Amino acid sequence: NAGVTQTPKFRVLKTGQSMTLLCAQDMNHEYMYWYRQDPGMGLRLIHYSVGEGTTAKGEVPDGYNVSRLKKQNFLLGLESAAPSQTSVYFCASSYTALNTEAFFGQGTRLTVV
Amino acid sequence: GNSVTQMEGPVTLSEEAFLTINCTYTATGYPSLFWYVQYPGEGLQLLLKATKADDKGSNKGFEATYRKETTSFHLEKGSVQVSDSAVYFCALRFLGRGSTLGRLYFGRGTQLTVWP
Protein backbone atom coordinates (compact mmCIF):
# COMPACT_ATOMS: atom_id res chain seq x y z
CA ASN A 1 0.00 0.00 0.00
CA ALA A 2 1.36 3.39 -0.99
CA GLY A 3 -0.35 5.40 1.78
CA VAL A 4 0.62 9.06 1.50
CA THR A 5 3.10 9.93 -1.24
CA GLN A 6 4.81 13.27 -1.64
CA THR A 7 6.67 14.50 -4.71
CA PRO A 8 9.32 15.70 -5.08
CA LYS A 9 11.44 14.54 -2.14
CA PHE A 10 14.05 17.24 -2.57
CA ARG A 11 14.12 20.57 -4.38
CA VAL A 12 16.32 23.64 -4.56
CA LEU A 13 14.71 26.87 -5.74
CA LYS A 14 16.02 30.32 -6.40
CA THR A 15 14.30 33.23 -4.69
CA GLY A 16 11.27 34.28 -6.69
CA GLN A 17 10.75 30.95 -8.44
CA SER A 18 7.51 29.06 -8.15
CA MET A 19 6.80 25.41 -7.59
CA THR A 20 4.08 22.97 -6.61
CA LEU A 21 4.36 20.14 -4.12
CA LEU A 22 2.09 17.20 -4.71
CA CYS A 23 0.55 15.01 -2.05
CA ALA A 24 -1.36 11.91 -3.07
CA GLN A 25 -3.17 9.44 -0.83
CA ASP A 26 -4.79 6.17 -1.82
CA MET A 27 -6.80 5.57 1.38
CA ASN A 28 -9.94 7.51 0.38
CA HIS A 29 -9.30 10.00 3.17
CA GLU A 30 -11.42 13.13 3.46
CA TYR A 31 -9.02 15.26 5.48
CA MET A 32 -5.64 16.35 4.20
CA TYR A 33 -3.05 18.68 5.72
CA TRP A 34 0.17 20.46 4.84
CA TYR A 35 2.67 21.09 7.63
CA ARG A 36 6.12 22.58 7.66
CA GLN A 37 8.83 21.43 10.01
CA ASP A 38 11.56 23.77 11.14
CA PRO A 39 14.30 23.11 13.73
CA GLY A 40 13.03 23.70 17.25
CA MET A 41 9.56 24.61 15.99
CA GLY A 42 7.83 21.27 15.68
CA LEU A 43 5.28 21.00 12.89
CA ARG A 44 3.12 23.96 12.01
CA LEU A 45 -0.05 23.75 9.94
CA ILE A 46 0.02 25.67 6.66
CA HIS A 47 -3.30 24.76 5.04
CA TYR A 48 -5.76 21.94 5.27
CA SER A 49 -8.76 20.48 3.49
CA VAL A 50 -11.81 18.71 4.85
CA GLY A 51 -12.93 17.39 1.49
CA GLU A 52 -12.69 17.67 -2.26
CA GLY A 53 -13.03 21.25 -3.41
CA THR A 54 -12.53 22.77 0.06
CA THR A 55 -9.46 24.32 1.64
CA ALA A 56 -8.76 26.39 4.73
CA LYS A 57 -5.88 28.30 6.26
CA GLY A 58 -3.79 26.96 9.08
CA GLU A 59 -1.50 28.89 11.37
CA VAL A 60 1.21 29.86 8.82
CA PRO A 61 -0.54 30.24 5.43
CA ASP A 62 1.21 33.33 4.07
CA GLY A 63 3.14 32.75 0.87
CA TYR A 64 1.38 29.48 0.09
CA ASN A 65 -1.69 28.43 -1.84
CA VAL A 66 -3.40 25.06 -2.04
CA SER A 67 -5.90 23.21 -4.15
CA ARG A 68 -7.94 20.04 -3.69
CA LEU A 69 -9.49 19.40 -7.07
CA LYS A 70 -9.47 15.65 -6.58
CA LYS A 71 -10.12 13.87 -3.32
CA GLN A 72 -6.86 11.95 -3.45
CA ASN A 73 -4.59 14.92 -4.21
CA PHE A 74 -3.67 18.00 -2.21
CA LEU A 75 -1.33 20.48 -3.90
CA LEU A 76 0.78 23.08 -2.13
CA GLY A 77 1.99 25.98 -4.24
CA LEU A 78 4.67 28.57 -3.69
CA GLU A 79 4.14 31.44 -6.12
CA SER A 80 7.32 33.35 -5.33
CA ALA A 81 9.69 31.41 -3.13
CA ALA A 82 11.57 33.15 -0.32
CA PRO A 83 14.50 31.90 1.79
CA SER A 84 12.14 31.86 4.81
CA GLN A 85 10.30 29.02 3.09
CA THR A 86 13.30 26.75 3.34
CA SER A 87 11.89 23.88 5.35
CA VAL A 88 10.77 20.29 5.33
CA TYR A 89 7.16 19.96 4.22
CA PHE A 90 4.93 17.12 5.34
CA CYS A 91 1.57 16.12 4.02
CA ALA A 92 -0.85 14.15 6.18
CA SER A 93 -4.29 12.66 5.73
CA SER A 94 -7.00 11.06 7.81
CA TYR A 95 -10.32 9.46 6.96
CA THR A 96 -12.33 12.02 8.88
CA ALA A 97 -11.93 14.02 12.06
CA LEU A 98 -13.65 11.11 13.81
CA ASN A 99 -10.74 8.83 13.00
CA THR A 100 -7.92 9.19 15.43
CA GLU A 101 -4.92 8.48 13.28
CA ALA A 102 -3.33 10.76 10.70
CA PHE A 103 -0.91 9.26 8.19
CA PHE A 104 2.12 11.21 7.04
CA GLY A 105 4.13 11.31 3.86
CA GLN A 106 7.91 11.04 3.77
CA GLY A 107 8.44 14.77 3.47
CA THR A 108 9.82 17.21 0.91
CA ARG A 109 13.03 19.01 1.74
CA LEU A 110 12.92 22.43 0.09
CA THR A 111 15.82 24.86 0.01
CA VAL A 112 15.35 28.38 -1.30
CA VAL A 113 18.60 30.18 -2.14
CA GLY B 1 -5.86 28.29 22.90
CA ASN B 2 -4.53 24.84 22.19
CA SER B 3 -0.87 24.02 22.60
CA VAL B 4 1.57 21.28 23.51
CA THR B 5 4.76 21.73 25.49
CA GLN B 6 7.35 18.98 25.63
CA MET B 7 10.72 18.80 27.23
CA GLU B 8 13.57 20.26 25.28
CA GLY B 9 16.21 17.96 23.96
CA PRO B 10 18.43 16.55 22.97
CA VAL B 11 18.22 13.57 25.29
CA THR B 12 21.19 11.22 25.27
CA LEU B 13 20.99 7.85 27.01
CA SER B 14 22.91 4.62 27.19
CA GLU B 15 21.27 1.44 25.97
CA GLU B 16 18.91 -0.11 28.56
CA ALA B 17 18.45 3.18 30.41
CA PHE B 18 15.01 4.42 31.47
CA LEU B 19 13.42 7.08 29.32
CA THR B 20 10.97 9.82 30.21
CA ILE B 21 9.95 12.61 27.86
CA ASN B 22 7.59 15.08 29.48
CA CYS B 23 4.58 16.47 27.65
CA THR B 24 1.92 18.85 28.93
CA TYR B 25 -0.90 20.48 27.06
CA THR B 26 -3.46 23.24 27.17
CA ALA B 27 -6.72 22.71 25.37
CA THR B 28 -10.10 24.36 24.99
CA GLY B 29 -11.92 21.08 25.21
CA TYR B 30 -11.29 17.40 25.63
CA PRO B 31 -8.64 16.26 23.15
CA SER B 32 -7.14 12.96 22.16
CA LEU B 33 -3.40 12.71 22.78
CA PHE B 34 -0.68 11.18 20.66
CA TRP B 35 3.00 10.46 20.47
CA TYR B 36 4.54 10.39 17.01
CA VAL B 37 8.05 9.24 16.18
CA GLN B 38 10.24 10.40 13.32
CA TYR B 39 13.21 8.23 12.41
CA PRO B 40 16.06 9.85 10.47
CA GLY B 41 15.05 10.75 6.93
CA GLU B 42 11.48 9.56 7.36
CA GLY B 43 8.04 10.97 7.95
CA LEU B 44 6.13 10.83 11.20
CA GLN B 45 4.66 7.57 12.43
CA LEU B 46 2.07 7.15 15.11
CA LEU B 47 3.69 5.57 18.17
CA LEU B 48 0.77 5.49 20.59
CA LYS B 49 -2.41 7.30 21.50
CA ALA B 50 -4.99 7.81 24.24
CA THR B 51 -8.46 9.18 23.71
CA LYS B 52 -9.77 9.74 27.24
CA ALA B 53 -8.59 10.43 30.76
CA ASP B 54 -6.65 7.64 32.48
CA ASP B 55 -6.22 5.74 29.21
CA LYS B 56 -2.76 4.28 28.75
CA GLY B 57 -1.37 4.07 25.26
CA SER B 58 1.39 1.56 24.62
CA ASN B 59 3.46 0.29 21.72
CA LYS B 60 6.96 -1.15 21.21
CA GLY B 61 7.66 -0.93 24.94
CA PHE B 62 6.69 2.74 25.13
CA GLU B 63 3.85 3.89 27.37
CA ALA B 64 2.02 7.12 28.12
CA THR B 65 -0.97 7.79 30.38
CA TYR B 66 -3.54 10.52 29.73
CA ARG B 67 -3.61 12.56 32.96
CA LYS B 68 -6.41 15.09 32.81
CA GLU B 69 -5.77 16.45 36.31
CA THR B 70 -2.20 17.42 35.42
CA THR B 71 -2.86 17.90 31.66
CA SER B 72 0.05 15.64 30.90
CA PHE B 73 0.95 12.72 28.62
CA HIS B 74 4.52 11.76 29.49
CA LEU B 75 6.27 9.16 27.35
CA GLU B 76 8.19 6.39 29.13
CA LYS B 77 10.19 3.32 28.24
CA GLY B 78 11.87 1.05 30.73
CA SER B 79 14.86 0.04 28.62
CA VAL B 80 15.79 1.96 25.50
CA GLN B 81 17.62 0.53 22.52
CA VAL B 82 19.89 2.10 19.92
CA SER B 83 17.07 1.64 17.41
CA ASP B 84 14.88 4.01 19.47
CA SER B 85 17.05 6.95 18.42
CA ALA B 86 14.64 9.35 16.74
CA VAL B 87 12.68 12.56 17.26
CA TYR B 88 9.54 12.20 19.37
CA PHE B 89 6.55 14.52 19.04
CA CYS B 90 3.70 14.90 21.45
CA ALA B 91 0.44 16.04 19.85
CA LEU B 92 -3.20 16.65 20.56
CA ARG B 93 -6.23 16.49 18.34
CA PHE B 94 -9.91 17.14 18.74
CA LEU B 95 -12.24 14.64 17.21
CA GLY B 96 -15.55 15.47 15.64
CA ARG B 97 -17.10 16.87 12.52
CA GLY B 98 -16.49 20.42 11.45
CA SER B 99 -14.11 22.31 9.31
CA THR B 100 -11.84 23.40 12.16
CA LEU B 101 -11.49 20.03 13.77
CA GLY B 102 -9.12 17.22 13.07
CA ARG B 103 -5.86 19.11 12.87
CA LEU B 104 -2.96 18.02 15.06
CA TYR B 105 -1.24 20.45 17.43
CA PHE B 106 2.38 19.40 17.86
CA GLY B 107 5.02 20.02 20.46
CA ARG B 108 8.47 21.05 19.26
CA GLY B 109 9.87 17.55 19.29
CA THR B 110 12.53 15.90 21.43
CA GLN B 111 15.61 14.35 19.86
CA LEU B 112 16.58 11.07 21.52
CA THR B 113 19.98 9.51 20.94
CA VAL B 114 20.77 6.12 22.45
CA TRP B 115 24.38 4.97 22.63
CA PRO B 116 25.41 1.30 22.78
Side-chain angles (χ1 to χ4, degrees):
Chain A
N1 292 333
V4 179
T5 303
Q6 292 181 230
T7 52
K9 290 185 170 50
F10 303 94
R11 185 74 184 270
V12 178
L13 285 180
K14 294 183 179 179
T15 297
Q17 287 185 316
S18 63
M19 77 163 294
T20 300
L21 283 67
L22 171 63
C23 177
Q25 51 91 6
D26 61 0
M27 297 173 281
N28 200 36
H29 285 174
E30 293 288 341
Y31 284 58
M32 297 186 75
Y33 310 83
W34 276 108
Y35 292 88
R36 59 177 289 172
Q37 182 183 28
D38 302 294
M41 299 293 290
L43 278 78
R44 293 181 292 170
L45 183 66
I46 305 171
H47 286 280
Y48 63 102
S49 169
V50 301
E52 182 178 319
T54 70
T55 63
K57 294 180 179 180
E59 59 183 308
V60 288
D62 294 343
Y64 305 94
N65 56 73
V66 288
S67 63
R68 184 94 182 272
L69 299 179
K70 294 183 178 180
K71 185 177 183 179
Q72 64 267 35
N73 296 337
F74 194 31
L75 280 63
L76 178 71
L78 286 74
E79 291 186 348
S80 180
S84 60
Q85 295 177 303
T86 294
S87 188
V88 181
Y89 292 86
F90 286 101
C91 177
S93 72
S94 64
Y95 185 58
T96 66
L98 297 177
N99 183 284
T100 59
E101 183 171 357
F103 294 84
F104 283 79
Q106 298 277 62
T108 296
R109 184 173 294 276
L110 175 66
T111 302
V112 183
V113 297
Chain B
N2 304 306
S3 66
V4 175
T5 302
Q6 61 181 106
M7 66 184 284
E8 303 240 347
V11 174
T12 303
L13 296 172
S14 298
E15 207 165 27
E16 299 184 1
F18 184 85
L19 168 71
T20 299
I21 301 178
N22 290 337
C23 172
T24 58
Y25 68 91
T26 59
T28 56
Y30 197 15
S32 291
L33 302 175
F34 305 82
W35 278 100
Y36 279 84
V37 59
Q38 183 181 29
Y39 298 104
E42 299 184 10
L44 277 72
Q45 304 173 26
L46 179 65
L47 179 60
L48 54 85
K49 64 187 180 189
T51 58
K52 61 184 186 294
D54 299 325
D55 266 2
K56 178 185 284 188
S58 62
N59 186 25
K60 299 181 181 180
F62 291 89
E63 293 183 339
T65 301
Y66 190 147
R67 299 290 187 200
K68 189 179 179 185
E69 64 276 11
T70 55
T71 62
S72 64
F73 194 53
H74 305 321
L75 182 68
E76 296 182 337
K77 186 174 185 181
S79 177
V80 293
Q81 306 299 312
V82 172
S83 58
D84 293 327
S85 297
V87 181
Y88 293 81
F89 292 93
C90 185
L92 68 83
R93 188 181 192 206
F94 294 96
L95 305 182
R97 299 197 181 279
S99 62
T100 59
L101 299 175
R103 63 159 291 187
L104 284 156
Y105 295 82
F106 286 94
R108 294 189 173 189
T110 302
Q111 172 74 55
L112 170 67
T113 301
V114 181
W115 296 99

